[in-house]
Amino acid sequence: MTTSPRPAAPPLTERQEARRRRILHTAAQLASRGGFEAVQMREVAELAGVALGTLYRYFPSKVHLLVATMQDQLQIFQEQTRKHPVEGEDPGARVADTLMRTFRGLQREPQLAEAMVRALTFADRSVSAEVDQVSRITGQLILDAMGLTEPPTREQLAAVRVIEHTWHSALVTWLSGRASIAQVRIDLETACKLLTL
Amino acid sequence: MTTSPRPAAPPLTERQEARRRRILHTAAQLASRGGFEAVQMREVAELAGVALGTLYRYFPSKVHLLVATMQDQLQIFQEQTRKHPVEGEDPGARVADTLMRTFRGLQREPQLAEAMVRALTFADRSVSAEVDQVSRITGQLILDAMGLTEPPTREQLAAVRVIEHTWHSALVTWLSGRASIAQVRIDLETACKLLTL
DNA sequence: CGCCACGCTGGAACGTGTTCTAGATTACCC
DNA sequence: GGGTAATCTAGAACACGTTCCAGCGTGGCG
């Protein structure tokens, strides 16, 4: 799996980078207000000061745009977590705590979270590279929290996958109002038991 | 949590029941061909022989329609599984096998699966009752496979939740082409280890 | 400096989910 | 059977994601 389908992104000029950031920022702002449906492409374009066609040149669909927003946010969380890792003896507990911390970060802007997660799960194959990237960051977040001194075992990697599934699905469940935060915590803790088998 | 938001569904006449089934059947058929995007409300209405407004009276949105389709399909799987439960000693293995069997059932109509699962994860709060129903059926499927002789313990229920999360998220991952069937099986087996702790 | 290729702009246009309306049909009650 | 309220029909209309196009800037190259 090389980077073949994406044509090796030509480097952006400064103005282009600025436009890209303006678009992402606008999208996040609109999403924070009204969630997925409040992110309307025409409005994003207008508020970001670009033409609709340009917006689509940068992000080929609304889903691409919101998944890119998620990448952005996750990376911020990741940096914060690396600067201030959670304390604790048990790796499982550290992972659960780290994810719960991220969770509370999302909770602070629930509408934004809704928009990003809806996009993430609604994404079809044309977005799979970007979604994969998000998945990779999440996995890395978990691995970081485990604080390994040696490469992870096969069993640990399998456990990480299940934790990631649980994290993702629990998020969806919470966003649709079908589970409480407390329930999410319990689910994550349950999944994290797999780390210390 | 009573059934208050849904006004206690007035019983349908025979003609109405037939219409409902015709709509569901048409939706499944279109989905089987071209997935989520091939289920177009106008076309469903036309092929099912009802007016567009009527379609919307029965299913208030495309997502509702497809989630109802999923309910339908899952119930069929559930009945089949109850008639022919999987063999085996280990409860964890039985659960994993049961879910993999259901998985292969979905695999037989991948486009239909795509449509139903996309709808399920895209559903917002207005569909949460229906999504919850799907979740309940899935949970029951797992509990059935465990073959309990006494009520499940708290730990078992927690494990079932994580297995359900894993099932759901693995399905999404497979549908978007980011995981193979083999990987899905591994993930499910990993999650099922939680049952025999 | 002149020219070219490329990116950007404004805006029209299209497709599909969803809503609305006016009138026909049906189901139910007396 | 007649009256009435609910349901169904056909079709227009609207909203928003997406595509497309013609022309304008702009930055780099001879």
Side-chain angles (χ1 to χ4, degrees):
Chain A
M1 184 81 82
T2 72
T3 59
S4 51
R6 204 129 332 256
L12 300 180
T13 71
E14 206 166 315
R15 291 171 67 82
Q16 287 175 322
E17 190 54 52
R19 256 192 285 261
R20 198 187 124 89
R21 301 228 61 85
R22 235 166 37 235
I23 293 171
L24 281 174
H25 182 249
T26 306
Q29 204 160 353
L30 287 175
S32 298
R33 261 200 240 307
F36 187 86
E37 62 175 23
V39 180
Q40 304 199 353
M41 298 303 269
R42 282 178 243 261
E43 200 175 355
V44 172
E46 188 168 356
L47 292 184
V50 301
L52 192 54
T54 306
L55 172 52
Y56 274 95
R57 172 183 285 270
Y58 280 73
F59 301 96
S61 77
K62 174 169 169 171
V63 168
H64 281 85
L65 172 57
L66 285 172
V67 170
T69 305
M70 177 111 214
Q71 279 183 28
D72 233 36
Q73 301 287 314
L74 260 191
Q75 253 152 7
I76 293 172
F77 280 128
Q78 192 182 27
E79 283 160 24
Q80 285 181 350
T81 306
R82 281 181 171 165
K83 263 183 267 184
H84 309 285
V86 298
E87 312 283 325
E89 274 304 302
D90 180 41
R94 278 202 306 274
V95 170
D97 284 352
T98 302
L99 290 178
M100 279 310 289
R101 189 195 276 183
T102 306
F103 204 92
R104 273 186 289 270
L106 292 174
Q107 203 187 350
R108 219 168 294 136
E109 291 286 358
Q111 301 272 52
L112 173 58
E114 187 256 9
M116 298 188 303
V117 173
R118 291 270 291 286
L120 210 55
T121 59
F122 190 60
D124 67 355
R125 295 178 118 85
S126 71
V127 208
S128 64
E130 287 80 355
V131 174
D132 224 37
Q133 177 65 9
V134 168
S135 171
R136 211 167 299 119
I137 299 176
T138 310
Q140 197 52 56
L141 203 67
I142 297 173
L143 285 170
D144 285 354
M146 287 167 65
L148 297 174
T149 57
E150 44 195 306
T153 65
R154 171 186 302 278
E155 286 78 16
Q156 285 174 321
L157 285 175
V160 168
R161 288 186 61 92
V162 169
I163 293 170
E164 217 178 306
H165 284 317
T166 303
W167 154 259
H168 200 186
S169 170
L171 202 46
V172 170
T173 313
W174 170 67
L175 284 168
S176 64
R178 308 199 320 280
S180 62
I181 306 276
Q183 185 64 68
V184 169
R185 146 157 259 138
I186 291 172
D187 290 353
L188 285 174
E189 284 169 351
T190 305
C192 286
K193 284 188 194 157
L194 284 168
L195 286 175
T196 52
L197 279 188
Chain B
M1 187 80 84
T2 72
T3 59
S4 49
R6 206 130 327 261
L12 301 180
T13 71
E14 204 165 319
R15 291 170 67 81
Q16 287 175 321
E17 191 56 49
R19 255 192 287 257
R20 197 187 125 88
R21 301 227 63 83
R22 243 175 22 243
I23 293 172
L24 280 175
H25 182 249
T26 306
Q29 205 160 350
L30 287 175
S32 299
R33 262 201 239 310
F36 186 86
E37 63 177 22
V39 180
Q40 305 197 354
M41 300 302 269
R42 283 177 242 263
E43 200 174 356
V44 172
E46 187 168 357
L47 292 184
V50 302
L52 192 53
T54 306
L55 172 52
Y56 274 94
R57 171 183 286 270
Y58 282 73
F59 301 95
S61 78
K62 175 168 168 172
V63 168
H64 282 84
L65 171 58
L66 285 171
V67 169
T69 306
M70 176 110 213
Q71 279 182 29
D72 232 35
Q73 301 286 315
L74 260 191
Q75 252 152 8
I76 294 173
F77 281 128
Q78 191 181 29
E79 281 161 25
Q80 285 180 349
T81 306
R82 280 183 171 165
K83 261 184 266 180
H84 309 285
V86 298
E87 312 283 324
E89 274 302 304
D90 180 41
R94 278 202 306 273
V95 170
D97 285 352
T98 302
L99 289 178
M100 279 310 290
R101 189 196 277 183
T102 307
F103 204 91
R104 274 187 287 269
L106 292 174
Q107 205 186 347
R108 219 169 294 136
E109 291 287 358
Q111 302 272 53
L112 174 58
E114 188 255 11
M116 297 188 304
V117 173
R118 292 270 291 287
L120 211 52
T121 60
F122 191 60
D124 67 355
R125 296 179 116 85
S126 72
V127 206
S128 64
E130 287 81 354
V131 174
D132 222 39
Q133 178 63 10
V134 168
S135 170
R136 209 166 300 120
I137 299 176
T138 310
Q140 196 54 55
L141 203 65
I142 297 172
L143 284 170
D144 285 356
M146 288 168 64
L148 297 173
T149 56
E150 42 196 307
T153 66
R154 172 186 302 277
E155 285 78 18
Q156 285 175 321
L157 286 176
V160 168
R161 288 186 61 93
V162 169
I163 293 170
E164 218 177 304
H165 285 316
T166 303
W167 153 261
H168 199 188
S169 171
L171 201 48
V172 170
T173 314
W174 170 69
L175 284 169
S176 63
R178 309 199 319 279
S180 64
I181 306 278
Q183 185 64 67
V184 169
R185 148 157 257 137
I186 292 172
D187 290 352
L188 284 174
E189 284 168 350
T190 304
C192 285
K193 282 188 194 158
L194 283 168
L195 286 175
T196 51
L197 279 190

